[in-house]
Amino acid sequence: MDSDLFSGRRAERFAQLLDEANGGRRHHVRSRADGELTALVAVGRRLTVERPTVQVGSEFRTSLRAMLVATAERDGVTATAGATAGPRGALLPAITGRRARARGAILVGVAAGAIALSGISAASENALPGDALYGMKRSTERAQLALAKSDISRGQLFLDFARTRLDEAASVREDRLGFSAVLDDMDADTRQGVRLLTTVAAQRSDPTALDAVDTFVAGQRRMVSGLLDRPDHADRDRTRRSLALLDAAGRRADALREAIACGLPAPATGDTLGPAPTICPGER
């Protein structure tokens, strides 16, 4: 989308098209941007008519309202139209009014789009691979990771996503390729989460971050073991590989706890599960 889409004449033309779409008088002018702007007006109309049925949280509404009010004050949307005088004063109120409407329309569009996207995101929570909203579900996960404030938060999110992939795997029981692909994603999330948490523990010489790994491995292993009842031999083999990864993650957390307890420095080497500690001197 053009970064200048809502500047100058385009903003005024956008306001005119919105007026027309809402039953206002027709403006007998044309613009080269009409095609793109008309498409945006149509999106705005659809967001108004086809509102998501998912309820948006009060915290989101409050933060969105604050953002819109601040933007309106900054851009002067609430300013009076006739405040400017000059040789062409008769034309200024109409122009200023159109610009104010354009800015207001943009703010309304941002609000409607944000609320609609939040509704779609919530609706996608139960989407499975192959569903129309599954891409939105994964995009929401990536957004959560981008907004996470620390490696511990990101590590815990990855482990949460691995739990989600496990739920999905249990729901695609009739699709061998889909089952294997979901377990691949689950294992990738497991490695990422464990690596982040073990790295934090080693760097800080603090085993607290390993508690999340221990809790995850215990619960996840129990649930993954439930997939061994699949009739297909290849599916059972694929499930055993995920179990082996969880066992390796548990052993890594145990080894790091021992290394931290006996005062070993942070390991200089590692792998996909994070730092690989050496054995405490007294255990050799």
Side-chain angles (χ1 to χ4, degrees):
M1 183 181 295
D2 191 339
S3 61
D4 295 326
L5 182 62
F6 294 125
S7 63
R9 293 180 179 177
R10 288 192 176 193
E12 295 176 18
R13 181 56 180 153
F14 185 51
Q16 291 175 351
L17 292 173
L18 283 172
D19 284 344
E20 294 175 7
N22 290 309
R25 70 180 183 85
R26 293 190 60 81
H27 300 78
H28 300 288
V29 295
R30 296 287 299 171
S31 166
R32 286 183 299 177
D34 276 8
E36 192 170 11
L37 293 175
T38 300
L40 288 173
V41 171
V43 170
R45 295 281 293 174
R46 287 188 60 189
L47 288 174
T48 301
V49 175
E50 303 174 11
R51 296 182 180 179
T53 57
V54 178
Q55 294 295 321
V56 179
S58 59
E59 182 178 346
F60 174 82
R61 290 182 182 275
T62 301
S63 61
L64 179 62
R65 185 182 300 111
M67 180 197 73
L68 294 176
V69 170
T71 303
E73 291 177 351
R74 183 193 67 206
D75 292 343
V77 173
T78 58
T80 56
T84 306
R88 296 162 58 194
L91 295 178
L92 289 177
I95 294 175
T96 306
R98 283 200 299 271
R99 287 177 177 170
R101 288 197 303 275
R103 288 170 178 163
I106 294 166
L107 291 176
V108 171
V110 170
I115 292 173
L117 287 176
S118 67
I120 294 172
S121 175
S124 70
E125 288 182 359
N126 296 320
L128 297 175
D131 291 349
L133 291 178
Y134 190 70
M136 172 62 73
K137 179 179 181 178
R138 299 302 296 269
S139 295
T140 301
E141 292 176 353
R142 289 191 291 271
Q144 289 177 270
L145 289 170
L147 293 172
K149 296 181 179 179
S150 68
D151 283 346
I152 290 181
S153 296
R154 277 185 285 274
Q156 291 172 333
L157 278 173
F158 272 117
L159 297 187
D160 286 341
F161 299 155
R163 294 184 181 99
T164 300
R165 301 289 87 80
L166 176 57
D167 291 339
E168 294 169 358
S171 299
V172 292
R173 302 180 69 87
E174 305 303 322
D175 181 356
R176 180 191 297 177
L177 294 178
F179 176 79
S180 181
V182 172
L183 289 191
D184 288 345
D185 288 345
M186 179 186 74
D187 289 351
D189 288 336
T190 296
R191 292 188 187 94
Q192 291 272 34
V194 171
R195 180 180 60 80
L196 286 168
L197 293 170
T198 55
T199 298
V200 169
Q203 290 175 345
R204 298 180 180 179
S205 295
D206 183 352
T208 303
L210 301 176
D211 293 343
V213 176
D214 293 340
T215 300
F216 167 78
V217 169
Q220 192 81 344
R221 199 186 193 291
R222 183 170 58 254
M223 298 299 293
V224 172
S225 296
L227 299 177
L228 289 172
D229 64 352
R230 291 177 68 95
D232 189 271
H233 177 73
D235 287 350
R236 294 196 299 273
D237 285 346
R238 179 62 191 82
T239 300
R240 291 189 184 97
R241 293 206 301 273
S242 292
L243 287 172
L245 174 62
L246 291 171
D247 290 341
R251 290 193 299 270
R252 179 61 53 85
D254 290 342
L256 275 171
R257 282 184 185 278
E258 294 175 1
I260 293 171
C262 66
L264 289 178
T269 60
D271 52 25
T272 57
L273 293 176
T278 56
I279 300 175
C280 290
E283 298 180 2
R284 292 178 180 175

